Amino acid sequence: MPPIIANATSPSIDSLAVDFDHHRLFETLVAGMADLLETTAGAEDACAYVSSIAARLGSDIEKQYKTALGVQNLNRDQLLAVLIDLNRRADGAFFIIEEDEDHIVLGNCKCPLGQAVINHPSLCMLTSNIFGVMTANAVGYAAVDLEQTIARGAAACRVVLHLKRTELHPDTREYFRDDASAASN
Amino acid sequence: MMHLQLRTELDLETYLEPSLVACCDGSIHARNRAAHLALSPQTSISSLFDICSGRAEALRTYLIRCSGSRQPLIEKVSFNGEGGAFDYRCFGNALVPRRKSRPASLLLRLLPVRDARFAARAECMKRLRTERHWRLAMEQSAELRSDRLRLVEQYCFVAEALRVAEAQNRRLQDEIKHIRTDERERIAQDLHDHAGQEMALVLVELRRMRDAAHGPARARLNDLAVHVSEVGRKIHHAVVGGRPRIVEELGLSRAIEITAVWFTTDGRLDLSFKKKGVESDALPAALESALYRVAQEALTNALRHALGAQKIDIVLEFNCQSVSLTIADDGVGLSTEAQQQGELGSSGIGLRGMQQRMNGIGGTLQIGPRFGKGTIVTAVAPLRPEPQQSAPP
Ligand SMILES: Nc1ncnc2c1ncn2[C@@H]1O[C@H](COP(=O)(O)OP(=O)(O)OP(=O)(O)O)[C@@H](O)[C@H]1O
Ligand SMILES: [Mg+2]
């Protein structure tokens, strides 16, 4: 390829209006792979694949926070702080809409996965599993309801974490305190 | 526990793939027939860790993760079977969560490590790509083919235009020839109607004066009358010579033959006329005219110059490339002087005229001694004219 030399008549290459950067690269890659996964393996198995990645990531992040805090187990306040902090670090914008004894409702108007998540609900398994795993390990049980999601076209996500067993919707996902966390209690 | 075990055992048979119910600590509670066949069917195994071939720690972590999730989590695992270690893609989830001191019981389903759907999808993508390449290649080749067709079309168009232009050129040349002929006829007519009439009057007056005169004046007037009569004859010759109507009416060979007959009607000379080959109906007018004029002049010369001649032989030969005319007499033959001049251009205009006419149609004219005795004139006219030679000076 001949060298590209910027001169007076052509604008410099690095100032051109080209829609590409680090984020765009990963967004495109993630969206493409989610699409492939959903169309090839079907929605359910796609969720299983993403859940596996998320569950691993969830317990790994949890371990890091616990070690950093020097605790065996996160209490409810720590859990909430950790969930919000985690999302801030991941460039999301989760916030608590309401909470009581039995449930916590979280909102989010900016998905950490950016545009990639649009039309790819299997990617929401990241949120569901990380929140579910960490919450279940902290309080013993969690059922996650993704009531509204950006992935399905909503302006913001509305995620309900049930802390007690209730009647389950078909889409509600249950998480239990895993045996390792239970043993360390 | 027993109740649960029985129930799950029954359920397990609904899965086609090797499936088992195991505790988070690895102890196996139940397995379906497929799992029984796949995982050490000879021996009864009690723990997954007994058949786990390596990466036991990863398996332990995975089982713990499964214990926390009602939904299946996927992990690659490796178990010993009949034919050695075998990799599986394991779908595992909590069936019954941990209760008090009892560990969670898990459902584990073992599928081939490679998801056939992905392989099929990859195959499909590969096929689509190949098809796209193929389509592109076909499109390109179709484009090339249409380019070629377009070129051929353009070539035909140009060739047709050339043909039309050539036809037009030919028509124009014919027209010019006609205009020239018309002009010549007009001049000939003028010469005949004016100069000819005047000449005739002058001749009549001269003869009257000659007849009235005596002595040297009479001889002088006689010479003058002969001279004027000769000039008149030449003018007449020119007028008649400009219009070989006879050729138009009878065709070349008949015209030459009839003319020769006229030349020899006095019976002094024998005439032999031979025609060889097939005379085309469509001989070029210029060719016919030139050969006819050559014949006229050659016959005139034979009568005038071939002293002692007894016979004239004429051969007119047609073939596909040319028409040749030979006129031979058995007279005295050319004088050496005339022979030399014959090459370069003679003093008279007869030979020069013949030469010019033949040159004009790309033909040749030769005059020389005939084998034995006499003179032979040979004119050859090509049917497809050569590029025109310049007339001799
Ligand atoms: N058949 C012939 N036999 C003998 N001599 C000939 C014959 N034809 C031509 N010649 C010689 O060639 C000369 C040149 O002939 P050419 O026709 O050019 O002139 P011309 O006949 O003398 O005059 P013009 O053509 O003007 O009537 C003649 O003068 C004559 O000497
Ligand atoms: Mg002559």
Side-chain angles (χ1 to χ4, degrees):
Chain A
M1 213 172 96
I4 297 166
I5 300 161
N7 57 33
T9 53
S10 66
S12 74
I13 299 296
D14 60 7
S15 68
L16 294 178
V18 174
D19 181 22
F20 186 77
D21 59 11
H22 179 256
H23 281 284
R24 184 118 172 75
L25 170 70
F26 281 97
E27 264 176 30
T28 312
L29 180 67
V30 170
M33 296 191 75
D35 201 59
L36 194 66
L37 201 57
E38 286 174 8
T39 53
T40 307
E44 200 177 315
D45 281 5
C47 285
Y49 277 107
V50 179
S51 295
S52 310
I53 299 164
R56 204 177 304 157
L57 185 61
S59 42
D60 182 49
I61 290 169
E62 185 191 22
K63 214 177 290 167
Q64 286 199 54
Y65 275 106
K66 281 185 191 169
T67 312
L69 284 168
V71 294
Q72 289 283 323
N73 208 9
L74 298 172
N75 63 34
R76 183 177 163 142
D77 290 343
Q78 284 169 328
L79 170 77
L80 280 178
V82 163
L83 292 183
I84 302 294
D85 177 64
L86 175 63
N87 271 283
R88 185 186 51 76
R89 287 176 194 262
D91 205 22
F94 272 86
F95 50 90
I96 295 166
I97 296 174
E98 57 185 87
E99 59 169 318
D100 62 24
E101 189 99 340
D102 296 342
H103 62 274
I104 303 167
V105 182
L106 291 149
N108 174 34
C109 45
K110 184 184 177 202
C111 181
L113 292 179
Q115 300 287 309
V117 83
I118 291 167
N119 285 327
H120 298 123
S122 66
L123 294 177
C124 295
M125 289 306 108
L126 275 175
T127 307
S128 177
N129 277 270
I130 294 171
F131 283 19
V133 165
M134 290 175 74
T135 307
N137 283 344
V139 304
Y141 173 83
V144 182
D145 249 338
L146 302 171
E147 285 189 346
Q148 288 173 13
T149 58
I150 295 171
R152 292 192 191 277
C157 300
R158 184 182 161 90
V159 181
V160 181
L161 298 175
H162 302 277
L163 309 179
K164 300 259 165 62
R165 287 196 91 150
T166 57
E167 214 172 294
L168 299 176
H169 297 281
D171 283 347
T172 308
R173 291 173 179 268
E174 281 187 296
Y175 300 89
F176 313 110
R177 175 178 286 155
D178 71 37
D179 283 28
S181 305
S184 67
N185 261 354
Chain B
M1 183 65 200
M2 198 56 204
H3 174 71
L4 171 80
Q5 203 171 324
L6 273 176
R7 215 194 78 221
T8 47
E9 255 175 322
L10 277 178
D11 285 347
L12 281 181
E13 288 307 333
T14 63
Y15 298 112
L16 297 176
E17 64 272 10
S19 305
L20 3 87
V21 175
C23 264
C24 194
D25 60 11
S27 56
I28 299 171
H29 285 251
R31 49 178 163 163
N32 67 0
R33 206 162 296 134
H36 186 79
L37 288 171
L39 312 169
S40 311
Q42 311 305 339
T43 52
S44 67
I45 42 165
S46 57
S47 170
L48 287 172
F49 293 102
D50 294 343
I51 53 168
C52 168
S53 61
R55 308 215 313 134
E57 204 40 54
L59 178 63
R60 201 182 308 280
T61 319
Y62 171 61
L63 295 178
I64 288 171
R65 264 206 310 277
C66 291
S67 75
S69 173
R70 179 71 89 187
Q71 293 74 43
L73 302 178
I74 302 168
E75 184 67 276
K76 193 174 126 185
V77 296
S78 182
F79 292 127
N80 291 319
E82 271 274 80
F86 203 79
D87 285 340
Y88 298 95
R89 187 161 41 94
C90 183
F91 280 63
N93 62 285
L95 268 184
V96 183
R98 177 189 178 85
R99 267 189 215 142
K100 297 200 181 84
S101 61
R102 235 183 279 151
S105 64
L106 314 172
L107 169 66
L108 302 171
R109 294 183 293 127
L110 304 176
L111 289 117
V113 74
R114 276 182 195 279
D115 190 326
R117 290 170 300 186
F118 288 106
R121 178 63 183 252
E123 200 51 49
C124 171
M125 282 171 155
K126 232 187 286 177
R127 206 187 57 238
L128 284 177
R129 205 175 47 227
T130 315
E131 275 170 11
R132 204 173 51 234
H133 284 170
W134 174 248
R135 213 171 35 243
L136 272 176
M138 291 311 284
E139 271 168 25
Q140 273 172 3
S141 109
E143 225 166 85
L144 282 176
R145 210 168 321 150
S146 82
D147 276 359
R148 206 183 56 193
L149 275 179
R150 223 175 13 249
L151 280 177
V152 169
E153 245 168 48
Q154 278 171 0
Y155 171 80
C156 290
F157 181 76
V158 168
E160 176 61 17
L162 197 65
R163 204 186 57 74
V164 169
E166 272 171 358
Q168 219 160 4
N169 189 23
R170 262 198 308 277
R171 210 175 48 242
L172 282 175
Q173 270 175 358
D174 278 358
E175 235 165 81
I176 289 171
K177 210 150 58 195
H178 275 112
I179 290 168
R180 267 199 209 135
T181 312
D182 288 353
E183 184 67 1
R184 209 163 43 212
E185 280 191 16
R186 198 185 57 74
I187 293 168
Q189 204 65 52
D190 279 359
L191 276 175
H192 179 265
D193 294 352
H194 300 292
Q197 310 276 333
E198 297 297 323
M199 207 76 117
L201 288 178
V202 168
L203 196 57
V204 169
E205 191 57 29
L206 266 177
R207 284 194 180 130
R208 199 181 296 136
M209 285 166 71
R210 179 198 63 189
D211 293 346
H214 305 278
R218 186 188 171 103
R220 182 84 189 102
L221 280 171
N222 188 48
D223 284 353
L224 266 178
V226 168
H227 185 68
V228 169
S229 138
E230 182 70 4
V231 171
R233 195 186 64 77
K234 279 189 180 171
I235 288 174
H236 180 76
H237 178 86
V239 171
V240 174
R243 299 183 297 180
R245 277 271 156 75
I246 186 171
V247 178
E248 269 176 50
E249 273 159 29
L250 302 177
L252 180 63
S253 61
R254 283 290 291 154
I256 291 175
E257 189 178 6
I258 296 287
T259 305
V261 169
W262 287 339
F263 271 87
T264 55
T265 35
D266 61 2
R268 264 201 311 125
L269 288 167
D270 283 338
L271 173 70
S272 152
F273 177 84
K274 277 202 196 97
K275 177 181 152 187
K276 294 185 183 168
V278 183
E279 180 177 3
S280 157
D281 284 341
L283 287 174
L287 179 146
E288 287 189 327
S289 168
L291 284 179
Y292 180 75
R293 295 289 180 220
V294 166
Q296 261 187 328
E297 178 59 23
L299 285 166
T300 308
N301 280 352
L303 289 188
R304 280 175 70 191
H305 307 298
L307 298 176
Q310 304 203 323
K311 194 178 180 212
I312 292 183
D313 284 296
I314 302 178
V315 179
L316 182 61
E317 186 173 347
F318 298 93
N319 61 42
C320 44
Q321 260 114 43
S322 60
V323 182
S324 65
L325 170 70
T326 57
I327 296 180
D329 62 61
D330 54 359
V332 288
L334 292 167
S335 63
T336 24
E337 184 194 306
Q339 242 181 69
Q340 283 166 356
Q341 284 176 338
E343 309 290 324
L344 308 159
S346 66
S347 53
I349 60 163
L351 273 184
R352 215 175 330 156
M354 288 198 276
Q355 192 84 57
Q356 277 171 0
R357 283 183 197 281
M358 292 313 292
N359 281 340
I361 57 162
T364 55
L365 184 106
Q366 284 173 325
I367 179 165
R370 187 196 192 191
F371 183 72
K373 188 174 176 242
T375 306
I376 182 164
V377 175
T378 309
V380 180
L383 283 176
R384 253 171 277 119
E386 310 276 313
Q388 280 203 2
Q389 295 164 15
S390 57

